[in-house]
Amino acid sequence: MRCSRVGEPTTRWRSRLAAFAPVDSTARVDAVVRRLTDAIALGLLADGEQLPSEAELAAQLGVSTVTLREALMALRQQGMVETRRGRGGGSFVRVPEHAPSLTDRLRGLTAEELRDLGDHYAAIAGAAARLAAQRALPEDLAPLRRTLEEMAATGDEAHLRRLHGRFHIEVAAVSQSARLTQEEIRLQADIGPLLWLAHTGEHGPSAQHRAIAEAVHRGDGDRARDLAERHVLEAVEHLIELRLREP
Amino acid sequence: MSEFRTLPAPGTAPGGPAGGAAEAACAVAAIVDGVFAELHRVRDAVTAVLGPAPVSGDLAALRPLLLPRLGGLVSGIGFIAAPGLLSDAPWYLEWWQESSSGDPVRLVRDMDPASSAFYDYSHWDWFSGPRSGEDRTLAGPYVDFLCTDEYSLTLSVPVLRGGGRGERGEFAGVAAADVFVRRFEVAVLPVLRGVPGPAFLVNRQGRVVASTTARHLAGSVFRGAPGMAAHPCRDLPLALVAAQLPHVP
């Protein structure tokens, strides 16, 4: 084991220094780029959609207009935003024909990182599903059923992917926990598009989705948690196998 | 207003009035009615703004009225158009909320169900209630992942166009306000604490909104318990549940 030289901060101390460092503007620009890229990948922002004015968007994201402009410039370079001048001008979302591919992103993660992301996501999804089953009122099931029906009816893959995300956020919301719901939304932004790789070729809602809704409906917290955890872990396992096949 | 479905019949405890519970229920109603009074002003302003062929830009005229109403209990306020009302935007909301710094910020979201899986608002209780004829809707508590990601109540009233001479106008949308559950708790807890014994508020479905006991916390469902009685908060879809007082001869 290598010892640290005199005067060199230990790794632990270094990581603390990093934690206390002011969030620099580069990190903010990256965060904004990531947010908007994920929103486009998840289909929350659609092709051709006009973004709010720079001032309005900066205020919503809680960043300065300078930071926002830098982020927009980066997105323009990636071809994900187009800015038109003059009357009817503004910034518009562009979904590129070949968006940065998910397999590229998968290659950027190790199997260990994927496992850890999966563990975290399974814990959140499981806890949310258990509380949802304990706290659900009959009318709370209506949005879940509607989403399952829409999943069954759609033939469009992008739409199906959005509905997948919506289903899990709706389950989390039934838990009555704002924090668990926020965490579900955040984790979906982190790993959701990747998990979709594990679902390729699926049509409509899976038996797992229906079973989760059914367990919540019956108030069976243990079963809801088991199902929700398994739903995440099986997909992550599949994803790790895909990753290990890559060089 | 329909009956509280999961609760024992409201009323006074056997042997006499239920301490301060009935009065406390009225005091809670007064707090909630204060927010509805604000919404009635918003509703009237929207009706005045809507011409025969309204467009989304017309609604900007509401801003001087909406912005000063943020703060206190109200964390978000605005008008949500009925789909198809505005000729230039089938789905639209003129919605303002407090940002983390406390400054008002307009919510801008893709509300078109054709491109977004999330923002079809027509199914949410705060919209469907007024549309189906409720005069005052109190939706939630629920996790509002549409606007704020907060645990919230949404109060709403219908905005109608035309009508008059005894005829109900055409539904044009809803005037609504968000109240975070944590702020509501701060506002009603002093009232609940005035009731002897444990006391909590439940919505029409029996979901607890605020409470003085850890046995029935916000978010849980109250399915009735022996020795507890529900007192309606006037004509609101809200009731105060408190211990029945022992019979005093």
Side-chain angles (χ1 to χ4, degrees), chain B residues 6 10-12 20-21 23 33 36 40 56-57 62 65 75 80 92 96 128 133 157 180 183 194 203 215 230:
Chain B
T6 56
T12 52
E23 292 86 337
D33 277 337
F36 277 118
H40 289 148
S56 56
L62 298 171
L65 179 89
S75 62
I80 298 98
Y92 194 79
W96 289 80
S128 61
V157 301
F180 293 157
R183 292 198 191 166
N203 70 7
R215 290 190 58 190

PDB file of all heavy atoms in Angstrom, chain B residues 6 10-12 20-21 23 33 36 40 56-57 62 65 75 80 92 96 128 133 157 180 183 194 203 215 230:
ATOM      1  N   THR B   6     -65.196   6.975   4.805  1.00  0.00           N
ATOM      2  CA  THR B   6     -64.582   5.972   5.677  1.00  0.00           C
ATOM      3  C   THR B   6     -64.789   6.278   7.157  1.00  0.00           C
ATOM      4  O   THR B   6     -64.253   5.598   8.004  1.00  0.00           O
ATOM      5  CB  THR B   6     -63.072   5.899   5.426  1.00  0.00           C
ATOM      6  OG1 THR B   6     -62.533   7.195   5.618  1.00  0.00           O
ATOM      7  CG2 THR B   6     -62.759   5.423   4.028  1.00  0.00           C
ATOM      8  N   PRO B  10     -70.444  11.967  11.584  1.00  0.00           N
ATOM      9  CA  PRO B  10     -70.017  13.113  12.368  1.00  0.00           C
ATOM     10  C   PRO B  10     -71.089  13.500  13.377  1.00  0.00           C
ATOM     11  O   PRO B  10     -72.236  13.119  13.246  1.00  0.00           O
ATOM     12  CB  PRO B  10     -69.832  14.202  11.314  1.00  0.00           C
ATOM     13  CG  PRO B  10     -70.665  13.791  10.154  1.00  0.00           C
ATOM     14  CD  PRO B  10     -70.724  12.300  10.186  1.00  0.00           C
ATOM     15  N   GLY B  11     -70.708  14.229  14.357  1.00  0.00           N
ATOM     16  CA  GLY B  11     -71.703  14.687  15.319  1.00  0.00           C
ATOM     17  C   GLY B  11     -71.071  14.924  16.660  1.00  0.00           C
ATOM     18  O   GLY B  11     -69.857  14.880  16.804  1.00  0.00           O
ATOM     19  N   THR B  12     -71.879  15.158  17.618  1.00  0.00           N
ATOM     20  CA  THR B  12     -71.352  15.427  18.947  1.00  0.00           C
ATOM     21  C   THR B  12     -71.263  14.135  19.736  1.00  0.00           C
ATOM     22  O   THR B  12     -71.945  13.170  19.444  1.00  0.00           O
ATOM     23  CB  THR B  12     -72.266  16.402  19.699  1.00  0.00           C
ATOM     24  OG1 THR B  12     -73.590  15.879  19.640  1.00  0.00           O
ATOM     25  CG2 THR B  12     -72.232  17.776  19.053  1.00  0.00           C
ATOM     26  N   GLY B  20     -63.899  21.525  22.499  1.00  0.00           N
ATOM     27  CA  GLY B  20     -63.688  22.586  21.525  1.00  0.00           C
ATOM     28  C   GLY B  20     -63.571  22.073  20.112  1.00  0.00           C
ATOM     29  O   GLY B  20     -63.195  22.832  19.224  1.00  0.00           O
ATOM     30  N   ALA B  21     -63.857  20.770  19.895  1.00  0.00           N
ATOM     31  CA  ALA B  21     -63.581  20.189  18.577  1.00  0.00           C
ATOM     32  C   ALA B  21     -64.403  20.851  17.476  1.00  0.00           C
ATOM     33  O   ALA B  21     -63.880  21.171  16.411  1.00  0.00           O
ATOM     34  CB  ALA B  21     -63.817  18.687  18.604  1.00  0.00           C
ATOM     35  N   GLU B  23     -65.753  23.825  17.452  1.00  0.00           N
ATOM     36  CA  GLU B  23     -65.274  25.198  17.238  1.00  0.00           C
ATOM     37  C   GLU B  23     -63.948  25.187  16.485  1.00  0.00           C
ATOM     38  O   GLU B  23     -63.719  26.019  15.597  1.00  0.00           O
ATOM     39  CB  GLU B  23     -65.079  25.928  18.578  1.00  0.00           C
ATOM     40  CG  GLU B  23     -66.348  26.218  19.342  1.00  0.00           C
ATOM     41  CD  GLU B  23     -66.803  25.055  20.227  1.00  0.00           C
ATOM     42  OE1 GLU B  23     -66.414  23.896  19.935  1.00  0.00           O
ATOM     43  OE2 GLU B  23     -67.542  25.305  21.187  1.00  0.00           O
ATOM     44  N   ASP B  33     -60.948  28.873   4.048  1.00  0.00           N
ATOM     45  CA  ASP B  33     -61.807  29.794   3.292  1.00  0.00           C
ATOM     46  C   ASP B  33     -61.055  31.054   2.885  1.00  0.00           C
ATOM     47  O   ASP B  33     -61.381  31.672   1.865  1.00  0.00           O
ATOM     48  CB  ASP B  33     -63.044  30.169   4.123  1.00  0.00           C
ATOM     49  CG  ASP B  33     -64.128  29.100   4.014  1.00  0.00           C
ATOM     50  OD1 ASP B  33     -64.112  28.351   3.013  1.00  0.00           O
ATOM     51  OD2 ASP B  33     -64.974  29.009   4.927  1.00  0.00           O
ATOM     52  N   PHE B  36     -59.670  30.273  -0.403  1.00  0.00           N
ATOM     53  CA  PHE B  36     -60.730  30.258  -1.420  1.00  0.00           C
ATOM     54  C   PHE B  36     -61.161  31.681  -1.791  1.00  0.00           C
ATOM     55  O   PHE B  36     -61.478  31.962  -2.945  1.00  0.00           O
ATOM     56  CB  PHE B  36     -61.936  29.440  -0.947  1.00  0.00           C
ATOM     57  CG  PHE B  36     -61.768  27.965  -1.173  1.00  0.00           C
ATOM     58  CD1 PHE B  36     -61.746  27.077  -0.110  1.00  0.00           C
ATOM     59  CD2 PHE B  36     -61.634  27.452  -2.467  1.00  0.00           C
ATOM     60  CE1 PHE B  36     -61.585  25.718  -0.319  1.00  0.00           C
ATOM     61  CE2 PHE B  36     -61.474  26.098  -2.687  1.00  0.00           C
ATOM     62  CZ  PHE B  36     -61.454  25.223  -1.610  1.00  0.00           C
ATOM     63  N   HIS B  40     -61.398  33.284  -5.510  1.00  0.00           N
ATOM     64  CA  HIS B  40     -62.572  33.910  -6.122  1.00  0.00           C
ATOM     65  C   HIS B  40     -62.183  35.217  -6.814  1.00  0.00           C
ATOM     66  O   HIS B  40     -62.715  35.563  -7.857  1.00  0.00           O
ATOM     67  CB  HIS B  40     -63.671  34.122  -5.069  1.00  0.00           C
ATOM     68  CG  HIS B  40     -64.294  32.818  -4.649  1.00  0.00           C
ATOM     69  ND1 HIS B  40     -64.777  32.576  -3.390  1.00  0.00           N
ATOM     70  CD2 HIS B  40     -64.478  31.664  -5.338  1.00  0.00           C
ATOM     71  CE1 HIS B  40     -65.248  31.335  -3.313  1.00  0.00           C
ATOM     72  NE2 HIS B  40     -65.069  30.765  -4.489  1.00  0.00           N
ATOM     73  N   SER B  56     -53.346  32.865 -25.368  1.00  0.00           N
ATOM     74  CA  SER B  56     -52.570  32.724 -24.134  1.00  0.00           C
ATOM     75  C   SER B  56     -52.027  34.069 -23.643  1.00  0.00           C
ATOM     76  O   SER B  56     -51.964  34.306 -22.437  1.00  0.00           O
ATOM     77  CB  SER B  56     -51.430  31.733 -24.346  1.00  0.00           C
ATOM     78  OG  SER B  56     -50.632  32.127 -25.437  1.00  0.00           O
ATOM     79  N   GLY B  57     -51.637  34.950 -24.577  1.00  0.00           N
ATOM     80  CA  GLY B  57     -51.072  36.240 -24.184  1.00  0.00           C
ATOM     81  C   GLY B  57     -52.017  37.095 -23.358  1.00  0.00           C
ATOM     82  O   GLY B  57     -51.585  37.900 -22.540  1.00  0.00           O
ATOM     83  N   LEU B  62     -53.104  38.945 -15.921  1.00  0.00           N
ATOM     84  CA  LEU B  62     -53.420  38.493 -14.555  1.00  0.00           C
ATOM     85  C   LEU B  62     -52.246  38.679 -13.596  1.00  0.00           C
ATOM     86  O   LEU B  62     -52.417  38.609 -12.379  1.00  0.00           O
ATOM     87  CB  LEU B  62     -53.788  37.004 -14.566  1.00  0.00           C
ATOM     88  CG  LEU B  62     -55.011  36.587 -15.364  1.00  0.00           C
ATOM     89  CD1 LEU B  62     -55.078  35.064 -15.443  1.00  0.00           C
ATOM     90  CD2 LEU B  62     -56.274  37.139 -14.713  1.00  0.00           C
ATOM     91  N   LEU B  65     -52.179  40.697 -10.402  1.00  0.00           N
ATOM     92  CA  LEU B  65     -53.073  40.161  -9.380  1.00  0.00           C
ATOM     93  C   LEU B  65     -52.473  38.914  -8.728  1.00  0.00           C
ATOM     94  O   LEU B  65     -52.591  38.707  -7.520  1.00  0.00           O
ATOM     95  CB  LEU B  65     -54.422  39.802 -10.027  1.00  0.00           C
ATOM     96  CG  LEU B  65     -55.455  39.205  -9.085  1.00  0.00           C
ATOM     97  CD1 LEU B  65     -56.269  40.314  -8.446  1.00  0.00           C
ATOM     98  CD2 LEU B  65     -56.366  38.231  -9.809  1.00  0.00           C
ATOM     99  N   SER B  75     -48.180  28.892  -2.045  1.00  0.00           N
ATOM    100  CA  SER B  75     -46.857  28.775  -2.670  1.00  0.00           C
ATOM    101  C   SER B  75     -46.941  28.793  -4.187  1.00  0.00           C
ATOM    102  O   SER B  75     -45.934  28.919  -4.863  1.00  0.00           O
ATOM    103  CB  SER B  75     -46.184  27.487  -2.225  1.00  0.00           C
ATOM    104  OG  SER B  75     -46.967  26.395  -2.644  1.00  0.00           O
ATOM    105  N   ILE B  80     -55.655  27.664 -14.890  1.00  0.00           N
ATOM    106  CA  ILE B  80     -55.369  26.543 -15.772  1.00  0.00           C
ATOM    107  C   ILE B  80     -56.514  26.461 -16.770  1.00  0.00           C
ATOM    108  O   ILE B  80     -57.669  26.250 -16.391  1.00  0.00           O
ATOM    109  CB  ILE B  80     -55.233  25.221 -14.989  1.00  0.00           C
ATOM    110  CG1 ILE B  80     -54.069  25.312 -13.998  1.00  0.00           C
ATOM    111  CG2 ILE B  80     -54.998  24.055 -15.941  1.00  0.00           C
ATOM    112  CD1 ILE B  80     -54.452  25.644 -12.597  1.00  0.00           C
ATOM    113  N   TYR B  92     -52.726  24.992 -21.517  1.00  0.00           N
ATOM    114  CA  TYR B  92     -51.999  26.182 -21.071  1.00  0.00           C
ATOM    115  C   TYR B  92     -52.263  26.462 -19.606  1.00  0.00           C
ATOM    116  O   TYR B  92     -53.384  26.322 -19.123  1.00  0.00           O
ATOM    117  CB  TYR B  92     -52.425  27.391 -21.890  1.00  0.00           C
ATOM    118  CG  TYR B  92     -51.490  28.570 -21.732  1.00  0.00           C
ATOM    119  CD1 TYR B  92     -50.281  28.608 -22.416  1.00  0.00           C
ATOM    120  CD2 TYR B  92     -51.813  29.619 -20.886  1.00  0.00           C
ATOM    121  CE1 TYR B  92     -49.413  29.672 -22.262  1.00  0.00           C
ATOM    122  CE2 TYR B  92     -50.943  30.690 -20.724  1.00  0.00           C
ATOM    123  CZ  TYR B  92     -49.750  30.713 -21.422  1.00  0.00           C
ATOM    124  OH  TYR B  92     -48.892  31.767 -21.265  1.00  0.00           O
ATOM    125  N   TRP B  96     -47.905  30.725 -11.411  1.00  0.00           N
ATOM    126  CA  TRP B  96     -46.748  31.334 -10.758  1.00  0.00           C
ATOM    127  C   TRP B  96     -46.499  30.653  -9.435  1.00  0.00           C
ATOM    128  O   TRP B  96     -47.429  30.328  -8.699  1.00  0.00           O
ATOM    129  CB  TRP B  96     -46.993  32.830 -10.561  1.00  0.00           C
ATOM    130  CG  TRP B  96     -46.935  33.546 -11.866  1.00  0.00           C
ATOM    131  CD1 TRP B  96     -47.931  33.625 -12.802  1.00  0.00           C
ATOM    132  CD2 TRP B  96     -45.807  34.229 -12.417  1.00  0.00           C
ATOM    133  NE1 TRP B  96     -47.494  34.321 -13.894  1.00  0.00           N
ATOM    134  CE2 TRP B  96     -46.194  34.711 -13.694  1.00  0.00           C
ATOM    135  CE3 TRP B  96     -44.512  34.491 -11.959  1.00  0.00           C
ATOM    136  CZ2 TRP B  96     -45.322  35.425 -14.510  1.00  0.00           C
ATOM    137  CZ3 TRP B  96     -43.649  35.221 -12.769  1.00  0.00           C
ATOM    138  CH2 TRP B  96     -44.060  35.671 -14.026  1.00  0.00           C
ATOM    139  N   SER B 128     -60.403  18.067 -12.420  1.00  0.00           N
ATOM    140  CA  SER B 128     -61.636  17.331 -12.718  1.00  0.00           C
ATOM    141  C   SER B 128     -62.756  17.689 -11.738  1.00  0.00           C
ATOM    142  O   SER B 128     -63.928  17.655 -12.099  1.00  0.00           O
ATOM    143  CB  SER B 128     -61.372  15.822 -12.716  1.00  0.00           C
ATOM    144  OG  SER B 128     -60.929  15.398 -11.457  1.00  0.00           O
ATOM    145  N   GLY B 133     -68.355  20.231 -11.683  1.00  0.00           N
ATOM    146  CA  GLY B 133     -69.395  21.014 -11.042  1.00  0.00           C
ATOM    147  C   GLY B 133     -69.168  21.341  -9.576  1.00  0.00           C
ATOM    148  O   GLY B 133     -70.009  21.986  -8.956  1.00  0.00           O
ATOM    149  N   VAL B 157     -61.230  26.373  -7.858  1.00  0.00           N
ATOM    150  CA  VAL B 157     -62.631  26.760  -8.115  1.00  0.00           C
ATOM    151  C   VAL B 157     -62.816  26.856  -9.632  1.00  0.00           C
ATOM    152  O   VAL B 157     -61.866  27.175 -10.353  1.00  0.00           O
ATOM    153  CB  VAL B 157     -63.001  28.106  -7.447  1.00  0.00           C
ATOM    154  CG1 VAL B 157     -62.799  28.045  -5.939  1.00  0.00           C
ATOM    155  CG2 VAL B 157     -62.204  29.261  -8.034  1.00  0.00           C
ATOM    156  N   PHE B 180     -48.438  24.034   0.498  1.00  0.00           N
ATOM    157  CA  PHE B 180     -47.603  22.917   0.949  1.00  0.00           C
ATOM    158  C   PHE B 180     -48.161  22.394   2.276  1.00  0.00           C
ATOM    159  O   PHE B 180     -48.551  23.178   3.142  1.00  0.00           O
ATOM    160  CB  PHE B 180     -46.149  23.349   1.162  1.00  0.00           C
ATOM    161  CG  PHE B 180     -45.443  23.740  -0.107  1.00  0.00           C
ATOM    162  CD1 PHE B 180     -44.332  24.579  -0.061  1.00  0.00           C
ATOM    163  CD2 PHE B 180     -45.863  23.270  -1.347  1.00  0.00           C
ATOM    164  CE1 PHE B 180     -43.674  24.949  -1.228  1.00  0.00           C
ATOM    165  CE2 PHE B 180     -45.210  23.624  -2.516  1.00  0.00           C
ATOM    166  CZ  PHE B 180     -44.113  24.468  -2.452  1.00  0.00           C
ATOM    167  N   ARG B 183     -46.647  23.900   5.377  1.00  0.00           N
ATOM    168  CA  ARG B 183     -47.117  25.240   5.759  1.00  0.00           C
ATOM    169  C   ARG B 183     -48.520  25.183   6.358  1.00  0.00           C
ATOM    170  O   ARG B 183     -48.850  25.930   7.276  1.00  0.00           O
ATOM    171  CB  ARG B 183     -47.138  26.154   4.538  1.00  0.00           C
ATOM    172  CG  ARG B 183     -45.764  26.465   4.032  1.00  0.00           C
ATOM    173  CD  ARG B 183     -45.835  27.685   3.151  1.00  0.00           C
ATOM    174  NE  ARG B 183     -44.588  27.861   2.435  1.00  0.00           N
ATOM    175  CZ  ARG B 183     -44.451  28.677   1.403  1.00  0.00           C
ATOM    176  NH1 ARG B 183     -45.478  29.379   0.978  1.00  0.00           N
ATOM    177  NH2 ARG B 183     -43.288  28.797   0.806  1.00  0.00           N
ATOM    178  N   GLY B 194     -55.549  23.204  20.600  1.00  0.00           N
ATOM    179  CA  GLY B 194     -56.558  23.695  21.537  1.00  0.00           C
ATOM    180  C   GLY B 194     -57.617  22.648  21.856  1.00  0.00           C
ATOM    181  O   GLY B 194     -58.409  22.815  22.787  1.00  0.00           O
ATOM    182  N   ASN B 203     -59.052  14.470   4.946  1.00  0.00           N
ATOM    183  CA  ASN B 203     -59.793  14.913   3.763  1.00  0.00           C
ATOM    184  C   ASN B 203     -60.996  13.985   3.561  1.00  0.00           C
ATOM    185  O   ASN B 203     -61.247  13.079   4.361  1.00  0.00           O
ATOM    186  CB  ASN B 203     -58.890  15.003   2.535  1.00  0.00           C
ATOM    187  CG  ASN B 203     -58.445  13.644   2.024  1.00  0.00           C
ATOM    188  OD1 ASN B 203     -58.910  12.606   2.492  1.00  0.00           O
ATOM    189  ND2 ASN B 203     -57.540  13.643   1.064  1.00  0.00           N
ATOM    190  N   ARG B 215     -49.591   8.892  15.984  1.00  0.00           N
ATOM    191  CA  ARG B 215     -50.304   7.679  15.574  1.00  0.00           C
ATOM    192  C   ARG B 215     -51.075   7.883  14.271  1.00  0.00           C
ATOM    193  O   ARG B 215     -51.432   6.929  13.606  1.00  0.00           O
ATOM    194  CB  ARG B 215     -51.276   7.243  16.681  1.00  0.00           C
ATOM    195  CG  ARG B 215     -50.552   6.723  17.910  1.00  0.00           C
ATOM    196  CD  ARG B 215     -51.506   6.078  18.875  1.00  0.00           C
ATOM    197  NE  ARG B 215     -52.248   4.976  18.261  1.00  0.00           N
ATOM    198  CZ  ARG B 215     -53.281   4.371  18.835  1.00  0.00           C
ATOM    199  NH1 ARG B 215     -53.700   4.766  20.008  1.00  0.00           N
ATOM    200  NH2 ARG B 215     -53.891   3.375  18.237  1.00  0.00           N
ATOM    201  N   ALA B 230     -65.801  12.567  14.155  1.00  0.00           N
ATOM    202  CA  ALA B 230     -65.410  13.522  13.104  1.00  0.00           C
ATOM    203  C   ALA B 230     -66.343  14.725  13.105  1.00  0.00           C
ATOM    204  O   ALA B 230     -67.557  14.584  13.211  1.00  0.00           O
ATOM    205  CB  ALA B 230     -65.451  12.834  11.748  1.00  0.00           C
TER     206      ALA B 230
END
